[in-house]
Amino acid sequence: MTDVDYRQGFSPASGPSTANLADILERVLDKGIVIAGDIKIDLLDIELLTIRLRLFVASVDTARKAGIDWWETDPALSSKAARSELRDENRRLRERVEALESDSEEASAAPRKKSRAEA
């Protein structure tokens, strides 16, 4: 074995310079990265279970450019979406109440007409 003497100012040969983690993360978020995979469980050539995994890592702007914005409409993640969902539910309930009230009024008006006609 040979010994290397570093006292004369020579440094050992180094490989290519590596980017730091912040640079790598910035590049991934700027461009985006997709990781995809499928897990299949078969028994005697019969497919029992298939799990499809898709992972898209990107910044919000990059995801929007790719047409992905589900977090804006998910009530669990967006207060604006939650308010919108409550507004829609409120509108549907009001419509149902109005329909029930009009059916009730029609049903109560029908016997009155018959009783007047009989008299």
Side-chain angles (χ1 to χ4, degrees):
M1 240 196 234
T2 60
D3 292 331
V4 178
D5 188 5
Y6 296 110
R7 289 177 287 176
Q8 297 175 358
F10 295 108
S11 61
S14 62
S17 63
T18 59
N20 64 19
L21 183 60
D23 291 339
I24 293 170
L25 185 59
E26 182 180 349
R27 189 174 304 148
V28 166
L29 292 177
D30 183 45
K31 300 295 182 187
I33 184 170
V34 175
I35 301 170
D38 294 337
I39 299 171
K40 284 187 174 185
I41 299 175
D42 295 338
L43 179 65
L44 300 173
D45 293 330
I46 299 171
E47 188 175 318
L48 298 177
L49 177 67
T50 299
I51 300 173
R52 306 189 99 184
L53 302 171
R54 304 291 181 260
L55 176 64
F56 179 58
V57 179
S59 68
V60 171
D61 293 332
T62 304
R64 281 192 181 128
K65 288 176 188 174
I68 301 170
D69 61 353
W70 52 264
W71 61 87
E72 293 178 350
T73 57
D74 188 341
L77 299 174
S78 169
S79 60
K80 183 174 139 182
R83 285 191 303 270
S84 176
E85 185 175 308
L86 286 173
R87 202 174 309 119
D88 290 343
E89 182 181 10
N90 192 3
R91 181 188 46 78
R92 288 191 308 269
L93 289 172
R94 288 178 188 270
E95 290 171 357
R96 287 180 62 192
V97 166
E98 287 175 11
L100 289 171
E101 286 176 347
S102 66
D103 289 347
S104 174
E105 289 173 2
E106 289 174 7
S108 64
R112 286 187 212 151
K113 290 178 183 176
K114 288 182 183 178
S115 64
R116 290 180 185 164
E118 293 173 358

